[in-house]
C-alpha cells in the first residue's frame, strides 16, 4: 500500500506543473564534453525529470563551468508495466554505446531516480529484478565504455530495499541517495513524502560528479 501511495504521489506531482531552470532539450547528444544521461522516475514529469534530472543538470551546469554539457532523457515508459524498466535499460545502453562510438572524447554521467535507478542499475550489470518496478537485466554497458562513465548518481534506488547496491568497477564512482523513511529504497520505510524530496540533493550530487570528471 505504501508503495502504491508513493507512486500515486509522483503522478500528482506531474499534475502540479513543476518546472526547473536550465534544463536541456531531451534529445540525443552531440559530441559534448559530458553527456548527462537521465532515467526519470515512475510518472515523473519534466525534461530529464522534474524532481531529480532537471535540478541535477542545472547544478552540474553551475559546477562544471567551462565544460560543454548535453542531456539525454532515457526513452522508456516510466510506468507500472512489467517491461518498463527493461525498455529503459535497453535504451540507455544503446544510447551510451552509440555516443561512445561516435564521440571518442565524450564522458558520461548517469542519473537515475526511483524506477530510473533500476534502469541504471541494470545497465551497470546489477539486476533490479524483484525490486519495486524492477526488471531482469536485458543489456549492459560494454567493458570498453566503463572508464568513460565518470559518475553514477542514484536517488531513491529500489534495489537498496533488497539490501543491494552498485558494486564492481562502478562502485567508487557511484553516489546513491536514500532518504530516511523512503519506502522505495528503505526496507520498512514509512515516509511516502521522503521519496519526493531528492531535489534537495542536486547540489551534493553535482559536487560529487565534479570530483570524478
Amino acid at each position: 500500500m505504501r508503495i502504491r501511495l508513493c507512486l500515486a504521489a509522483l503522478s500528482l506531482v506531474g499534475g502540479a506543473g513543476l518546472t526547473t531552470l536550465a534544463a536541456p532539450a531531451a534529445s540525443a547528444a552531440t559530441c559534448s564534453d559530458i553527456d548527462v544521461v537521465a532515467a526519470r522516475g515512475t510518472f515523473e514529469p519534466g525534461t530529464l525529470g522534474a524532481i531529480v534530472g532537471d535540478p541535477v543538470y542545472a547544478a552540474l551546469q553551475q559546477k562544471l563551468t567551462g565544460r560543454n554539457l548535453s542531456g539525454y532523457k532515457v526513452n522508456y515508459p516510466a510506468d507500472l508495466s512489467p517491461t518498463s524498466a527493461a525498455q529503459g535499460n535497453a535504451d540507455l545502453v544503446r544510447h551510451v554505446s552509440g555516443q561512445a562510438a561516435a564521440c571518442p572524447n565524450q564522458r558520461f554521467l548517469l542519473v537515475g531516480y526511483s524506477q530510473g535507478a533500476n534502469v541504471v542499475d541494470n545497465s551497470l550489470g546489477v539486476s533490479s529484478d524483484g525490486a519495486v518496478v524492477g526488471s531482469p537485466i536485458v543489456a549492459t554497458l560494454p567493458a570498453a565504455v566503463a572508464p568513460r562513465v565518470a559518475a553514477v548518481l542514484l536517488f531513491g534506488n529500489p534495489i537498496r530495499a533488497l539490501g543491494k547496491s552498485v558494486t564492481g568497477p562502478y562502485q567508487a564512482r557511484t553516489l546513491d541517495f536514500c532518504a530516511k523513511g523512503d519506502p522505495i529504497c528503505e526496507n520498512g520505510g514509512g515516509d511516502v513524502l521522503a521519496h519526493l524530496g531528492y531535489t534537495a540533493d542536486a547540489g551534493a550530487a553535482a559536487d560529487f560528479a565534479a570530483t570524478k570528471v
Side-chain angles (χ1 to χ4, degrees):
M1 177 61 72
R2 287 172 180 168
I3 301 303
R4 290 180 180 176
L5 285 172
C6 198
L7 296 175
L10 276 174
S11 66
L12 290 175
V13 168
L18 284 181
T19 58
T20 56
L21 300 177
S27 61
T30 56
C31 290
S32 60
D33 297 326
I34 300 168
D35 189 21
V36 181
V37 181
R40 68 198 187 282
T42 307
F43 305 133
E44 186 186 10
T47 304
L48 297 180
I51 295 171
V52 167
D54 292 341
V56 167
Y57 188 89
L60 287 167
Q61 284 185 311
Q62 293 180 357
K63 190 71 177 179
L64 301 177
T65 55
R67 304 290 185 93
N68 179 21
L69 271 61
S70 56
Y72 179 76
K73 179 180 181 178
V74 174
N75 183 16
Y76 85 114
D79 60 19
L80 300 180
S81 61
T83 63
S84 177
Q87 291 179 60
N89 173 195
D91 185 70
L92 187 153
V93 171
R94 179 203 61 76
H95 172 76
V96 172
S97 298
Q99 285 298 118
C103 305
N105 297 317
Q106 191 172 57
R107 302 187 73 194
F108 303 93
L109 296 175
L110 306 184
V111 181
Y113 167 50
S114 194
Q115 183 177 174
N118 285 338
V119 168
V120 175
D121 293 331
N122 281 11
S123 301
L124 303 181
V126 182
S127 177
S128 67
D129 194 21
V132 176
V133 288
S135 77
I137 295 170
V138 296
T140 56
L141 291 172
V145 174
R148 294 171 59 183
V149 176
V152 178
L153 308 173
L154 303 174
F155 304 79
N157 188 357
I159 69 169
R160 289 189 55 172
L162 303 179
K164 298 173 64 177
S165 61
V166 172
T167 57
Y170 296 97
Q171 184 172 7
R173 288 173 273 164
T174 297
L175 187 60
D176 193 340
F177 294 92
C178 180
K180 182 175 177 58
D182 181 347
I184 301 297
C185 59
E186 181 182 295
N187 187 20
D191 184 359
V192 170
L193 294 180
H195 192 63
L196 304 178
Y198 290 105
T199 300
D201 297 309
D207 289 344
F208 176 82
T211 69
K212 303 298 182 181
V213 296

mmCIF file with all atom_site columns, all heavy atoms in Angstrom, residues 164-192:
data_model
loop_
_atom_site.group_PDB
_atom_site.id
_atom_site.type_symbol
_atom_site.label_atom_id
_atom_site.label_alt_id
_atom_site.label_comp_id
_atom_site.label_asym_id
_atom_site.label_entity_id
_atom_site.label_seq_id
_atom_site.pdbx_PDB_ins_code
_atom_site.Cartn_x
_atom_site.Cartn_y
_atom_site.Cartn_z
_atom_site.occupancy
_atom_site.B_iso_or_equiv
_atom_site.pdbx_formal_charge
_atom_site.auth_seq_id
_atom_site.auth_comp_id
_atom_site.auth_asym_id
_atom_site.auth_atom_id
_atom_site.pdbx_PDB_model_num
ATOM 1   N N   . LYS A 1 164 ? 20.727 -4.503 -1.669  1.00 0.00 ? 164 LYS A N   1
ATOM 2   C CA  . LYS A 1 164 ? 21.699 -4.492 -2.761  1.00 0.00 ? 164 LYS A CA  1
ATOM 3   C C   . LYS A 1 164 ? 22.170 -3.067 -3.053  1.00 0.00 ? 164 LYS A C   1
ATOM 4   O O   . LYS A 1 164 ? 21.539 -2.101 -2.632  1.00 0.00 ? 164 LYS A O   1
ATOM 5   C CB  . LYS A 1 164 ? 21.072 -5.089 -4.035  1.00 0.00 ? 164 LYS A CB  1
ATOM 6   C CG  . LYS A 1 164 ? 20.643 -6.532 -3.899  1.00 0.00 ? 164 LYS A CG  1
ATOM 7   C CD  . LYS A 1 164 ? 19.887 -7.017 -5.136  1.00 0.00 ? 164 LYS A CD  1
ATOM 8   C CE  . LYS A 1 164 ? 20.740 -7.016 -6.383  1.00 0.00 ? 164 LYS A CE  1
ATOM 9   N NZ  . LYS A 1 164 ? 20.010 -7.570 -7.558  1.00 0.00 ? 164 LYS A NZ  1
ATOM 10  N N   . SER A 1 165 ? 23.275 -2.973 -3.771  1.00 0.00 ? 165 SER A N   1
ATOM 11  C CA  . SER A 1 165 ? 23.791 -1.680 -4.206  1.00 0.00 ? 165 SER A CA  1
ATOM 12  C C   . SER A 1 165 ? 24.696 -1.903 -5.406  1.00 0.00 ? 165 SER A C   1
ATOM 13  O O   . SER A 1 165 ? 24.987 -3.053 -5.772  1.00 0.00 ? 165 SER A O   1
ATOM 14  C CB  . SER A 1 165 ? 24.568 -0.994 -3.079  1.00 0.00 ? 165 SER A CB  1
ATOM 15  O OG  . SER A 1 165 ? 25.681 -1.785 -2.683  1.00 0.00 ? 165 SER A OG  1
ATOM 16  N N   . VAL A 1 166 ? 25.140 -0.825 -6.010  1.00 0.00 ? 166 VAL A N   1
ATOM 17  C CA  . VAL A 1 166 ? 26.070 -0.932 -7.133  1.00 0.00 ? 166 VAL A CA  1
ATOM 18  C C   . VAL A 1 166 ? 27.434 -1.383 -6.621  1.00 0.00 ? 166 VAL A C   1
ATOM 19  O O   . VAL A 1 166 ? 27.984 -0.798 -5.686  1.00 0.00 ? 166 VAL A O   1
ATOM 20  C CB  . VAL A 1 166 ? 26.192 0.407  -7.877  1.00 0.00 ? 166 VAL A CB  1
ATOM 21  C CG1 . VAL A 1 166 ? 27.297 0.350  -8.931  1.00 0.00 ? 166 VAL A CG1 1
ATOM 22  C CG2 . VAL A 1 166 ? 24.863 0.774  -8.515  1.00 0.00 ? 166 VAL A CG2 1
ATOM 23  N N   . THR A 1 167 ? 27.964 -2.423 -7.216  1.00 0.00 ? 167 THR A N   1
ATOM 24  C CA  . THR A 1 167 ? 29.273 -2.951 -6.842  1.00 0.00 ? 167 THR A CA  1
ATOM 25  C C   . THR A 1 167 ? 30.134 -3.038 -8.104  1.00 0.00 ? 167 THR A C   1
ATOM 26  O O   . THR A 1 167 ? 29.712 -2.647 -9.186  1.00 0.00 ? 167 THR A O   1
ATOM 27  C CB  . THR A 1 167 ? 29.146 -4.334 -6.185  1.00 0.00 ? 167 THR A CB  1
ATOM 28  O OG1 . THR A 1 167 ? 28.462 -5.218 -7.097  1.00 0.00 ? 167 THR A OG1 1
ATOM 29  C CG2 . THR A 1 167 ? 28.358 -4.261 -4.882  1.00 0.00 ? 167 THR A CG2 1
ATOM 30  N N   . GLY A 1 168 ? 31.331 -3.569 -7.950  1.00 0.00 ? 168 GLY A N   1
ATOM 31  C CA  . GLY A 1 168 ? 32.186 -3.770 -9.112  1.00 0.00 ? 168 GLY A CA  1
ATOM 32  C C   . GLY A 1 168 ? 32.879 -2.491 -9.547  1.00 0.00 ? 168 GLY A C   1
ATOM 33  O O   . GLY A 1 168 ? 33.121 -1.577 -8.745  1.00 0.00 ? 168 GLY A O   1
ATOM 34  N N   . PRO A 1 169 ? 33.189 -2.372 -10.851 1.00 0.00 ? 169 PRO A N   1
ATOM 35  C CA  . PRO A 1 169 ? 34.008 -1.257 -11.328 1.00 0.00 ? 169 PRO A CA  1
ATOM 36  C C   . PRO A 1 169 ? 33.365 0.112  -11.170 1.00 0.00 ? 169 PRO A C   1
ATOM 37  O O   . PRO A 1 169 ? 34.056 1.125  -11.182 1.00 0.00 ? 169 PRO A O   1
ATOM 38  C CB  . PRO A 1 169 ? 34.228 -1.589 -12.814 1.00 0.00 ? 169 PRO A CB  1
ATOM 39  C CG  . PRO A 1 169 ? 33.094 -2.500 -13.189 1.00 0.00 ? 169 PRO A CG  1
ATOM 40  C CD  . PRO A 1 169 ? 32.829 -3.303 -11.954 1.00 0.00 ? 169 PRO A CD  1
ATOM 41  N N   . TYR A 1 170 ? 32.047 0.167  -11.004 1.00 0.00 ? 170 TYR A N   1
ATOM 42  C CA  . TYR A 1 170 ? 31.369 1.452  -10.878 1.00 0.00 ? 170 TYR A CA  1
ATOM 43  C C   . TYR A 1 170 ? 31.181 1.896  -9.423  1.00 0.00 ? 170 TYR A C   1
ATOM 44  O O   . TYR A 1 170 ? 30.725 3.016  -9.179  1.00 0.00 ? 170 TYR A O   1
ATOM 45  C CB  . TYR A 1 170 ? 29.997 1.389  -11.552 1.00 0.00 ? 170 TYR A CB  1
ATOM 46  C CG  . TYR A 1 170 ? 30.052 1.149  -13.039 1.00 0.00 ? 170 TYR A CG  1
ATOM 47  C CD1 . TYR A 1 170 ? 29.887 -0.128 -13.563 1.00 0.00 ? 170 TYR A CD1 1
ATOM 48  C CD2 . TYR A 1 170 ? 30.260 2.200  -13.932 1.00 0.00 ? 170 TYR A CD2 1
ATOM 49  C CE1 . TYR A 1 170 ? 29.938 -0.358 -14.934 1.00 0.00 ? 170 TYR A CE1 1
ATOM 50  C CE2 . TYR A 1 170 ? 30.311 1.984  -15.301 1.00 0.00 ? 170 TYR A CE2 1
ATOM 51  C CZ  . TYR A 1 170 ? 30.148 0.705  -15.791 1.00 0.00 ? 170 TYR A CZ  1
ATOM 52  O OH  . TYR A 1 170 ? 30.197 0.487  -17.149 1.00 0.00 ? 170 TYR A OH  1
ATOM 53  N N   . GLN A 1 171 ? 31.501 1.054  -8.476  1.00 0.00 ? 171 GLN A N   1
ATOM 54  C CA  . GLN A 1 171 ? 31.163 1.334  -7.084  1.00 0.00 ? 171 GLN A CA  1
ATOM 55  C C   . GLN A 1 171 ? 31.762 2.656  -6.579  1.00 0.00 ? 171 GLN A C   1
ATOM 56  O O   . GLN A 1 171 ? 31.068 3.467  -5.962  1.00 0.00 ? 171 GLN A O   1
ATOM 57  C CB  . GLN A 1 171 ? 31.633 0.183  -6.189  1.00 0.00 ? 171 GLN A CB  1
ATOM 58  C CG  . GLN A 1 171 ? 31.230 0.340  -4.728  1.00 0.00 ? 171 GLN A CG  1
ATOM 59  C CD  . GLN A 1 171 ? 31.546 -0.899 -3.902  1.00 0.00 ? 171 GLN A CD  1
ATOM 60  O OE1 . GLN A 1 171 ? 32.185 -1.837 -4.381  1.00 0.00 ? 171 GLN A OE1 1
ATOM 61  N NE2 . GLN A 1 171 ? 31.101 -0.917 -2.669  1.00 0.00 ? 171 GLN A NE2 1
ATOM 62  N N   . ALA A 1 172 ? 33.032 2.879  -6.841  1.00 0.00 ? 172 ALA A N   1
ATOM 63  C CA  . ALA A 1 172 ? 33.687 4.086  -6.340  1.00 0.00 ? 172 ALA A CA  1
ATOM 64  C C   . ALA A 1 172 ? 33.207 5.349  -7.031  1.00 0.00 ? 172 ALA A C   1
ATOM 65  O O   . ALA A 1 172 ? 33.418 6.461  -6.527  1.00 0.00 ? 172 ALA A O   1
ATOM 66  C CB  . ALA A 1 172 ? 35.206 3.950  -6.492  1.00 0.00 ? 172 ALA A CB  1
ATOM 67  N N   . ARG A 1 173 ? 32.547 5.192  -8.156  1.00 0.00 ? 173 ARG A N   1
ATOM 68  C CA  . ARG A 1 173 ? 32.055 6.347  -8.912  1.00 0.00 ? 173 ARG A CA  1
ATOM 69  C C   . ARG A 1 173 ? 30.564 6.564  -8.705  1.00 0.00 ? 173 ARG A C   1
ATOM 70  O O   . ARG A 1 173 ? 29.947 7.356  -9.420  1.00 0.00 ? 173 ARG A O   1
ATOM 71  C CB  . ARG A 1 173 ? 32.334 6.137  -10.400 1.00 0.00 ? 173 ARG A CB  1
ATOM 72  C CG  . ARG A 1 173 ? 33.790 6.269  -10.782 1.00 0.00 ? 173 ARG A CG  1
ATOM 73  C CD  . ARG A 1 173 ? 34.011 5.884  -12.235 1.00 0.00 ? 173 ARG A CD  1
ATOM 74  N NE  . ARG A 1 173 ? 34.223 4.450  -12.384 1.00 0.00 ? 173 ARG A NE  1
ATOM 75  C CZ  . ARG A 1 173 ? 34.146 3.792  -13.538 1.00 0.00 ? 173 ARG A CZ  1
ATOM 76  N NH1 . ARG A 1 173 ? 33.827 4.441  -14.640 1.00 0.00 ? 173 ARG A NH1 1
ATOM 77  N NH2 . ARG A 1 173 ? 34.380 2.500  -13.595 1.00 0.00 ? 173 ARG A NH2 1
ATOM 78  N N   . THR A 1 174 ? 29.975 5.842  -7.767  1.00 0.00 ? 174 THR A N   1
ATOM 79  C CA  . THR A 1 174 ? 28.518 5.897  -7.560  1.00 0.00 ? 174 THR A CA  1
ATOM 80  C C   . THR A 1 174 ? 28.179 6.599  -6.251  1.00 0.00 ? 174 THR A C   1
ATOM 81  O O   . THR A 1 174 ? 28.755 6.310  -5.199  1.00 0.00 ? 174 THR A O   1
ATOM 82  C CB  . THR A 1 174 ? 27.932 4.476  -7.546  1.00 0.00 ? 174 THR A CB  1
ATOM 83  O OG1 . THR A 1 174 ? 28.154 3.857  -8.819  1.00 0.00 ? 174 THR A OG1 1
ATOM 84  C CG2 . THR A 1 174 ? 26.439 4.508  -7.270  1.00 0.00 ? 174 THR A CG2 1
ATOM 85  N N   . LEU A 1 175 ? 27.230 7.524  -6.324  1.00 0.00 ? 175 LEU A N   1
ATOM 86  C CA  . LEU A 1 175 ? 26.649 8.154  -5.147  1.00 0.00 ? 175 LEU A CA  1
ATOM 87  C C   . LEU A 1 175 ? 25.171 7.796  -5.148  1.00 0.00 ? 175 LEU A C   1
ATOM 88  O O   . LEU A 1 175 ? 24.453 8.093  -6.106  1.00 0.00 ? 175 LEU A O   1
ATOM 89  C CB  . LEU A 1 175 ? 26.837 9.668  -5.196  1.00 0.00 ? 175 LEU A CB  1
ATOM 90  C CG  . LEU A 1 175 ? 26.413 10.447 -3.952  1.00 0.00 ? 175 LEU A CG  1
ATOM 91  C CD1 . LEU A 1 175 ? 27.199 9.994  -2.727  1.00 0.00 ? 175 LEU A CD1 1
ATOM 92  C CD2 . LEU A 1 175 ? 26.616 11.949 -4.173  1.00 0.00 ? 175 LEU A CD2 1
ATOM 93  N N   . ASP A 1 176 ? 24.725 7.143  -4.080  1.00 0.00 ? 176 ASP A N   1
ATOM 94  C CA  . ASP A 1 176 ? 23.390 6.552  -4.030  1.00 0.00 ? 176 ASP A CA  1
ATOM 95  C C   . ASP A 1 176 ? 22.627 7.140  -2.843  1.00 0.00 ? 176 ASP A C   1
ATOM 96  O O   . ASP A 1 176 ? 22.889 6.783  -1.692  1.00 0.00 ? 176 ASP A O   1
ATOM 97  C CB  . ASP A 1 176 ? 23.528 5.029  -3.902  1.00 0.00 ? 176 ASP A CB  1
ATOM 98  C CG  . ASP A 1 176 ? 22.229 4.282  -4.152  1.00 0.00 ? 176 ASP A CG  1
ATOM 99  O OD1 . ASP A 1 176 ? 21.155 4.886  -4.056  1.00 0.00 ? 176 ASP A OD1 1
ATOM 100 O OD2 . ASP A 1 176 ? 22.299 3.069  -4.426  1.00 0.00 ? 176 ASP A OD2 1
ATOM 101 N N   . PHE A 1 177 ? 21.699 8.050  -3.118  1.00 0.00 ? 177 PHE A N   1
ATOM 102 C CA  . PHE A 1 177 ? 20.937 8.716  -2.064  1.00 0.00 ? 177 PHE A CA  1
ATOM 103 C C   . PHE A 1 177 ? 19.695 7.905  -1.705  1.00 0.00 ? 177 PHE A C   1
ATOM 104 O O   . PHE A 1 177 ? 18.933 7.505  -2.590  1.00 0.00 ? 177 PHE A O   1
ATOM 105 C CB  . PHE A 1 177 ? 20.462 10.098 -2.533  1.00 0.00 ? 177 PHE A CB  1
ATOM 106 C CG  . PHE A 1 177 ? 21.556 11.093 -2.775  1.00 0.00 ? 177 PHE A CG  1
ATOM 107 C CD1 . PHE A 1 177 ? 22.110 11.236 -4.042  1.00 0.00 ? 177 PHE A CD1 1
ATOM 108 C CD2 . PHE A 1 177 ? 22.014 11.901 -1.744  1.00 0.00 ? 177 PHE A CD2 1
ATOM 109 C CE1 . PHE A 1 177 ? 23.102 12.174 -4.281  1.00 0.00 ? 177 PHE A CE1 1
ATOM 110 C CE2 . PHE A 1 177 ? 23.010 12.841 -1.971  1.00 0.00 ? 177 PHE A CE2 1
ATOM 111 C CZ  . PHE A 1 177 ? 23.566 12.974 -3.238  1.00 0.00 ? 177 PHE A CZ  1
ATOM 112 N N   . CYS A 1 178 ? 19.481 7.696  -0.412  1.00 0.00 ? 178 CYS A N   1
ATOM 113 C CA  . CYS A 1 178 ? 18.230 7.094  0.071   1.00 0.00 ? 178 CYS A CA  1
ATOM 114 C C   . CYS A 1 178 ? 17.790 7.880  1.298   1.00 0.00 ? 178 CYS A C   1
ATOM 115 O O   . CYS A 1 178 ? 18.437 7.807  2.353   1.00 0.00 ? 178 CYS A O   1
ATOM 116 C CB  . CYS A 1 178 ? 18.410 5.618  0.411   1.00 0.00 ? 178 CYS A CB  1
ATOM 117 S SG  . CYS A 1 178 ? 16.878 4.826  1.005   1.00 0.00 ? 178 CYS A SG  1
ATOM 118 N N   . ALA A 1 179 ? 16.747 8.657  1.172   1.00 0.00 ? 179 ALA A N   1
ATOM 119 C CA  . ALA A 1 179 ? 16.266 9.478  2.276   1.00 0.00 ? 179 ALA A CA  1
ATOM 120 C C   . ALA A 1 179 ? 15.698 8.608  3.387   1.00 0.00 ? 179 ALA A C   1
ATOM 121 O O   . ALA A 1 179 ? 15.091 7.557  3.137   1.00 0.00 ? 179 ALA A O   1
ATOM 122 C CB  . ALA A 1 179 ? 15.194 10.444 1.767   1.00 0.00 ? 179 ALA A CB  1
ATOM 123 N N   . LYS A 1 180 ? 15.899 9.039  4.607   1.00 0.00 ? 180 LYS A N   1
ATOM 124 C CA  . LYS A 1 180 ? 15.393 8.297  5.758   1.00 0.00 ? 180 LYS A CA  1
ATOM 125 C C   . LYS A 1 180 ? 13.883 8.141  5.659   1.00 0.00 ? 180 LYS A C   1
ATOM 126 O O   . LYS A 1 180 ? 13.146 9.105  5.462   1.00 0.00 ? 180 LYS A O   1
ATOM 127 C CB  . LYS A 1 180 ? 15.754 9.018  7.055   1.00 0.00 ? 180 LYS A CB  1
ATOM 128 C CG  . LYS A 1 180 ? 15.295 8.275  8.313   1.00 0.00 ? 180 LYS A CG  1
ATOM 129 C CD  . LYS A 1 180 ? 15.792 8.965  9.553   1.00 0.00 ? 180 LYS A CD  1
ATOM 130 C CE  . LYS A 1 180 ? 15.270 8.274  10.810  1.00 0.00 ? 180 LYS A CE  1
ATOM 131 N NZ  . LYS A 1 180 ? 15.665 6.855  10.871  1.00 0.00 ? 180 LYS A NZ  1
ATOM 132 N N   . GLY A 1 181 ? 13.419 6.908  5.750   1.00 0.00 ? 181 GLY A N   1
ATOM 133 C CA  . GLY A 1 181 ? 11.995 6.621  5.717   1.00 0.00 ? 181 GLY A CA  1
ATOM 134 C C   . GLY A 1 181 ? 11.414 6.421  4.333   1.00 0.00 ? 181 GLY A C   1
ATOM 135 O O   . GLY A 1 181 ? 10.230 6.080  4.213   1.00 0.00 ? 181 GLY A O   1
ATOM 136 N N   . ASP A 1 182 ? 12.216 6.611  3.294   1.00 0.00 ? 182 ASP A N   1
ATOM 137 C CA  . ASP A 1 182 ? 11.721 6.428  1.918   1.00 0.00 ? 182 ASP A CA  1
ATOM 138 C C   . ASP A 1 182 ? 11.356 4.959  1.710   1.00 0.00 ? 182 ASP A C   1
ATOM 139 O O   . ASP A 1 182 ? 12.228 4.090  1.721   1.00 0.00 ? 182 ASP A O   1
ATOM 140 C CB  . ASP A 1 182 ? 12.807 6.860  0.922   1.00 0.00 ? 182 ASP A CB  1
ATOM 141 C CG  . ASP A 1 182 ? 12.379 6.720  -0.535  1.00 0.00 ? 182 ASP A CG  1
ATOM 142 O OD1 . ASP A 1 182 ? 11.351 6.079  -0.813  1.00 0.00 ? 182 ASP A OD1 1
ATOM 143 O OD2 . ASP A 1 182 ? 13.100 7.256  -1.403  1.00 0.00 ? 182 ASP A OD2 1
ATOM 144 N N   . PRO A 1 183 ? 10.081 4.637  1.495   1.00 0.00 ? 183 PRO A N   1
ATOM 145 C CA  . PRO A 1 183 ? 9.681  3.235  1.393   1.00 0.00 ? 183 PRO A CA  1
ATOM 146 C C   . PRO A 1 183 ? 10.137 2.551  0.112   1.00 0.00 ? 183 PRO A C   1
ATOM 147 O O   . PRO A 1 183 ? 10.075 1.335  0.005   1.00 0.00 ? 183 PRO A O   1
ATOM 148 C CB  . PRO A 1 183 ? 8.146  3.302  1.456   1.00 0.00 ? 183 PRO A CB  1
ATOM 149 C CG  . PRO A 1 183 ? 7.816  4.656  0.917   1.00 0.00 ? 183 PRO A CG  1
ATOM 150 C CD  . PRO A 1 183 ? 8.932  5.552  1.374   1.00 0.00 ? 183 PRO A CD  1
ATOM 151 N N   . ILE A 1 184 ? 10.599 3.318  -0.875  1.00 0.00 ? 184 ILE A N   1
ATOM 152 C CA  . ILE A 1 184 ? 11.058 2.715  -2.121  1.00 0.00 ? 184 ILE A CA  1
ATOM 153 C C   . ILE A 1 184 ? 12.460 2.143  -1.968  1.00 0.00 ? 184 ILE A C   1
ATOM 154 O O   . ILE A 1 184 ? 12.778 1.086  -2.523  1.00 0.00 ? 184 ILE A O   1
ATOM 155 C CB  . ILE A 1 184 ? 11.026 3.747  -3.271  1.00 0.00 ? 184 ILE A CB  1
ATOM 156 C CG1 . ILE A 1 184 ? 9.603  4.279  -3.472  1.00 0.00 ? 184 ILE A CG1 1
ATOM 157 C CG2 . ILE A 1 184 ? 11.563 3.144  -4.567  1.00 0.00 ? 184 ILE A CG2 1
ATOM 158 C CD1 . ILE A 1 184 ? 8.587  3.233  -3.891  1.00 0.00 ? 184 ILE A CD1 1
ATOM 159 N N   . CYS A 1 185 ? 13.306 2.820  -1.204  1.00 0.00 ? 185 CYS A N   1
ATOM 160 C CA  . CYS A 1 185 ? 14.694 2.357  -1.074  1.00 0.00 ? 185 CYS A CA  1
ATOM 161 C C   . CYS A 1 185 ? 15.047 1.858  0.321   1.00 0.00 ? 185 CYS A C   1
ATOM 162 O O   . CYS A 1 185 ? 16.115 1.252  0.502   1.00 0.00 ? 185 CYS A O   1
ATOM 163 C CB  . CYS A 1 185 ? 15.676 3.456  -1.485  1.00 0.00 ? 185 CYS A CB  1
ATOM 164 S SG  . CYS A 1 185 ? 15.548 4.989  -0.526  1.00 0.00 ? 185 CYS A SG  1
ATOM 165 N N   . GLU A 1 186 ? 14.206 2.099  1.299   1.00 0.00 ? 186 GLU A N   1
ATOM 166 C CA  . GLU A 1 186 ? 14.478 1.664  2.672   1.00 0.00 ? 186 GLU A CA  1
ATOM 167 C C   . GLU A 1 186 ? 13.474 0.594  3.074   1.00 0.00 ? 186 GLU A C   1
ATOM 168 O O   . GLU A 1 186 ? 12.269 0.858  3.134   1.00 0.00 ? 186 GLU A O   1
ATOM 169 C CB  . GLU A 1 186 ? 14.402 2.847  3.633   1.00 0.00 ? 186 GLU A CB  1
ATOM 170 C CG  . GLU A 1 186 ? 14.689 2.483  5.088   1.00 0.00 ? 186 GLU A CG  1
ATOM 171 C CD  . GLU A 1 186 ? 14.551 3.688  6.004   1.00 0.00 ? 186 GLU A CD  1
ATOM 172 O OE1 . GLU A 1 186 ? 15.351 4.639  5.859   1.00 0.00 ? 186 GLU A OE1 1
ATOM 173 O OE2 . GLU A 1 186 ? 13.625 3.675  6.855   1.00 0.00 ? 186 GLU A OE2 1
ATOM 174 N N   . ASN A 1 187 ? 13.950 -0.590 3.337   1.00 0.00 ? 187 ASN A N   1
ATOM 175 C CA  . ASN A 1 187 ? 13.069 -1.672 3.751   1.00 0.00 ? 187 ASN A CA  1
ATOM 176 C C   . ASN A 1 187 ? 12.359 -1.290 5.047   1.00 0.00 ? 187 ASN A C   1
ATOM 177 O O   . ASN A 1 187 ? 13.012 -1.008 6.050   1.00 0.00 ? 187 ASN A O   1
ATOM 178 C CB  . ASN A 1 187 ? 13.881 -2.956 3.946   1.00 0.00 ? 187 ASN A CB  1
ATOM 179 C CG  . ASN A 1 187 ? 12.996 -4.159 4.215   1.00 0.00 ? 187 ASN A CG  1
ATOM 180 O OD1 . ASN A 1 187 ? 11.803 -4.145 3.917   1.00 0.00 ? 187 ASN A OD1 1
ATOM 181 N ND2 . ASN A 1 187 ? 13.568 -5.201 4.775   1.00 0.00 ? 187 ASN A ND2 1
ATOM 182 N N   . GLY A 1 188 ? 11.050 -1.229 5.025   1.00 0.00 ? 188 GLY A N   1
ATOM 183 C CA  . GLY A 1 188 ? 10.277 -0.843 6.196   1.00 0.00 ? 188 GLY A CA  1
ATOM 184 C C   . GLY A 1 188 ? 10.045 0.643  6.323   1.00 0.00 ? 188 GLY A C   1
ATOM 185 O O   . GLY A 1 188 ? 9.412  1.098  7.274   1.00 0.00 ? 188 GLY A O   1
ATOM 186 N N   . GLY A 1 189 ? 10.537 1.425  5.363   1.00 0.00 ? 189 GLY A N   1
ATOM 187 C CA  . GLY A 1 189 ? 10.329 2.873  5.420   1.00 0.00 ? 189 GLY A CA  1
ATOM 188 C C   . GLY A 1 189 ? 8.852  3.225  5.303   1.00 0.00 ? 189 GLY A C   1
ATOM 189 O O   . GLY A 1 189 ? 8.102  2.572  4.574   1.00 0.00 ? 189 GLY A O   1
ATOM 190 N N   . GLY A 1 190 ? 8.434  4.278  6.003   1.00 0.00 ? 190 GLY A N   1
ATOM 191 C CA  . GLY A 1 190 ? 7.022  4.636  6.000   1.00 0.00 ? 190 GLY A CA  1
ATOM 192 C C   . GLY A 1 190 ? 6.717  6.069  5.644   1.00 0.00 ? 190 GLY A C   1
ATOM 193 O O   . GLY A 1 190 ? 5.578  6.507  5.761   1.00 0.00 ? 190 GLY A O   1
ATOM 194 N N   . ASP A 1 191 ? 7.733  6.819  5.198   1.00 0.00 ? 191 ASP A N   1
ATOM 195 C CA  . ASP A 1 191 ? 7.516  8.224  4.881   1.00 0.00 ? 191 ASP A CA  1
ATOM 196 C C   . ASP A 1 191 ? 7.423  8.395  3.362   1.00 0.00 ? 191 ASP A C   1
ATOM 197 O O   . ASP A 1 191 ? 8.434  8.545  2.669   1.00 0.00 ? 191 ASP A O   1
ATOM 198 C CB  . ASP A 1 191 ? 8.677  9.051  5.443   1.00 0.00 ? 191 ASP A CB  1
ATOM 199 C CG  . ASP A 1 191 ? 8.491  10.553 5.240   1.00 0.00 ? 191 ASP A CG  1
ATOM 200 O OD1 . ASP A 1 191 ? 7.465  10.945 4.633   1.00 0.00 ? 191 ASP A OD1 1
ATOM 201 O OD2 . ASP A 1 191 ? 9.369  11.320 5.679   1.00 0.00 ? 191 ASP A OD2 1
ATOM 202 N N   . VAL A 1 192 ? 6.202  8.371  2.855   1.00 0.00 ? 192 VAL A N   1
ATOM 203 C CA  . VAL A 1 192 ? 5.988  8.452  1.410   1.00 0.00 ? 192 VAL A CA  1
ATOM 204 C C   . VAL A 1 192 ? 6.579  9.732  0.824   1.00 0.00 ? 192 VAL A C   1
ATOM 205 O O   . VAL A 1 192 ? 7.202  9.725  -0.246  1.00 0.00 ? 192 VAL A O   1
ATOM 206 C CB  . VAL A 1 192 ? 4.478  8.370  1.090   1.00 0.00 ? 192 VAL A CB  1
ATOM 207 C CG1 . VAL A 1 192 ? 4.210  8.688  -0.373  1.00 0.00 ? 192 VAL A CG1 1
ATOM 208 C CG2 . VAL A 1 192 ? 3.941  6.984  1.434   1.00 0.00 ? 192 VAL A CG2 1
#
